[in-house]
Amino acid sequence: MLEFRQVHKAYATPLGPLEVLTGVNLTLAAGESLALMGESGCGKSTLLHLAAGLDLPDRGEVRVAGRAISSLGEAGRARLRRETLGLVFQQFHLVPSLTVLDNLRLQARLAGREDRAWSAELVERLGLAGLARRYPEQLSGGQQQRLAIGRALAPRPALLLADEPTGNLDESTADEVLDLLLALVRDTGSALLMVTHSPRVAAPLDRCLQLSHGRIG
Amino acid sequence: MLTALLTLLSHYRRHPGQLAMLLLGLWVAGALWSGVQAINASARDSYDRAEALFTTGLDRLERRDGEPLVRADFVSLRRQGLPVSPLLEGTVVTSRGERLTVIGIDPLTLPGDSAFATGGSRGELTAFFTPPWQTRLAPDTAPRLGLERQAAPGTEPSLANGHRLPPLVLAPALPPDTLVVDIAVAARLLERGTAVSRLVAAAGALETAPEGYRLGRADTLVDPGELTASFHLNLSAMALLALIVGLFIVQAALGLALEQRLGLLRTLRALGVPGRTLVALLALELVLLGVIGALAGIASGVWLARALLPDVAATLQSLYGAAVGTQLRLPWHYWLGGLGVTLGGLFVAGSGILWRAARLGVLGLGQAQAWRAGFQRQLRGQAIAGTLAALLALAMWAWLAAQPAGEGLVAGFVLVGAMMLACALWLSPLLAAGLSGLGRLARRRPLTQWALADLQLQLPRLSLAMMALLIALSANLGVGSMVGGFRLTFLDWLDQRLTADLYLRPPAGQFDAVQAWLVERDEVAELLPTADAESTLLEVQAGGDQRSLEVPVTLFGITPGARLTPTWPLLETRAGRDAAWRALEEGEAFINEQLALGRGIAPGDRLVLRSPGGHQRVTVAAIYPDYGNPRGEVLLATAALRERFAAAPGSLGIVLADTDPPRERQAETLSRALAARFALGREALRDQREIKALSTEIFERTFAITRALNALTLAVAALALLASLLAQARERRRRLAPLWALGVTRGRLAGIQLTQLGGAALATGLAAVPLGIAITACLVAVINVAAFGWRLPLHVFPAEIALTLATALGVALLAAALPALTLWRTPPRTLLAEEEAT
């Protein structure tokens, strides 16, 4: 489902180029879940951005669902995100001007495959049933992250990319959100790549890899 | 992509204020522009219809003895085989008290291609001049008779004098407020017996004037559309200014709406909406909002035009003698044009924002610093564009300096526009640099330093509103100083020219007898008779050069004397004032500034003028100012003018011998004596002060619309500032919350806000002062000379400058007061809650 081959990525800084990824190799099979761990600034988010086609590698190859993202144009990468991927961010990134229900359906609608029954089930299972007409700012942090997970899973993506999905939540809320995320991923059959710095969050996933000094260790 | 579009638009559901600000900008910009264009379109329609009428484009005959024309004149000339046609003109009052012009014609003799003569079939023509006759009128004249347009045909409305009009027939080609009837009907309606107002002939049909008549050529009449072109251009320039200021609001609103949606854009991109699609959707959003705003603007513009048109019509009538209807008549392309200009302006305002949004990378989209870095780039871009605009202004100035005076109306407007643009573009970089410098100076005053740094952070959002304020303030100062200077000059000029105490206009046949009688009166110290005639300037001889021309000019006769000579203003003479006056008495001429600038004539040049007795040659001894006259004028001594050009006598200026008894009483006595001796009515004698008051009133009315548009532009700029402040009020409160937590009182924080904005506005006002003076200089030295033909002295009014600065400060404080009041009234805990929520 996801494959990184000798991927290099550097950023230009006033002090010269900063090498973030230096020859990363990684594979993730369909339906598999993988935790990617590492210190702050080790390149976890950069790796996730490359997987989502939000950025392009300097060298090496990133393949998602069999397609090399470097060979896709801007529109092709956007289509890939729309139809194949689901994204969950640490900062939620909900649309403040849409209601809870509209936020949840947003990506499925953009992908052109809204499943009303599945959306309704997600609302129930995410515990958002009584909040459907509220706006994101009227929700707690845990509720907002549950909504972000629902939005990402509504179109049943083949690959879910999650960037520190519990990083902004307290411990008990984080556990609750994580359980829900894994259950839903299992039910949809999606592959999961989760970036985290917490071993406790990484533990329930199928595999765990460590990113250090720009390489998978 | 409907989902993505609706998601983008949902932003306005949560921020209706931004939507209101955007629509407000479009609305006011569109309203002022469309309003002025509606006025211009209606005026042009009136000019076209007036041109199509038989009263223009025809040669005219008048009796040489000054007696009124009668039917016998027409009969006698027709018997001589001359192709003349009679016209009878007058005013009737409707039963509703409205005044309408009646023109009586003889359709059988009326020359060829006038709108009336060529319109209609033989049957219609017969119906026109046989009982029960017809009254032809434009559809927009019907409401003046108290009738609906559709119901008007066939009705026979009554007039105030009891007469009934013949059945009405609509004729769209006729000018407004005009009724055209057979001459026999006009004589009955106007109760004028056998009188005839004019005898007309096709242009060039008469080679010479018949014996006993004076011939006025059609080409001495100037086309009203041509005469008033500069007036309409000035109106358009003011409207364009308002449009630009309105579009500044639009750009500020768009920038804010996009900045606040950067996160949303990033999320949508992350969810798979391509960047190009997003930019296209933002453009579609612009179109949707633009159409709504433009339609509202056009509707309001039409309303505004309806409100202003009567004043504009009165101004055009008094300034140029051009008849403009007070009913709007808008062609189809007006509506499309209004929509096109507003949408075009919107895209100009929005293109920069779309360009910036398209260029931001997906990972940088959500980051405010990426946007701010964009602002830094924008400041550099503005400085470069401002420099280019300044260079353009310099180039225009250099080009204009090399042209003869009176050339380059469009270049003059480009010069003013480039100067304003350069200053507006430089304003934000200069404010940013100034704040940065002040911040370094205020290191030991933490709160001041914070306030300066905070104002710098606000600049991206405030800069557009400040630019709009700068443009509006400088235009206000520039136009205000020009009008003020013009007013002073005009009033001085009136005093200098209207030197007699009383003015009498006797009928031509009695003129000499009245003059001889007045000379004998004890209370009369001096008489200043005038005369006037029409002529054509055929040739100018300057040194060894000769230039052939065909320019219609007015000839005017004055009487040099003890009262007139010392005060009559002269701009340029060949050999000094005294020599010029001696030369005038000896048969030389003065010419007005319009003619001198327009035709490049200088003192010492010789003019060849057409006269009834052949060509006459006169030498130009001086040039005099002649404000408000749209035509070229040649001044001669009255006696010489009457003798050489067979000019008709005009008025008699009466200088009273003594100021005791008061002038009113002397005027009364003289009026009674004139009535007893010559049967002259009281209205024949006018007090100089009455004429001055009337002229001043006309002057004030002329600039009423300029002042109104100027004030509206300033109001729009104030709205821009208010809208910008309100749009960011909540975010400002969040930024102020930590200061409150650190122990700064809310009152002090509100005070800081007021000081920040007041200071920025004052800086803007100070920048507007030199720019406003430069605009005045361009207006009086370039644009007025090119548009009207006369130059004005440059006046700078300290009170006007103080008012500009006070307005800047007042507008800013007013705009800042509402957010500051809200801050002052917000409970402190709410401030912190808002801060935590970010």
Side-chain angles (χ1 to χ4, degrees), chain B residues 58-77:
Chain B
L58 299 176
D59 289 347
R60 294 156 298 154
L61 284 179
E62 287 168 26
R63 285 177 66 105
R64 199 171 279 284
D65 60 9
E67 290 297 321
L69 290 162
V70 289
R71 195 184 297 157
D73 291 292
F74 167 62
V75 174
S76 135
L77 290 167

Side-chain angles (χ1 to χ4, degrees), chain A residues 148-193:
Chain A
I149 291 167
R151 181 181 68 186
L153 289 174
R156 299 179 191 271
L159 172 62
L160 183 68
L161 302 171
D163 188 2
E164 302 272 14
T166 57
N168 260 356
L169 306 176
D170 63 65
E171 211 164 271
S172 69
T173 310
D175 288 345
E176 181 196 326
V177 167
L178 188 64
D179 288 346
L180 199 55
L181 172 66
L182 293 175
L184 287 168
V185 164
R186 262 195 308 276
D187 291 353
T188 51
S190 305
L192 169 66
L193 172 62

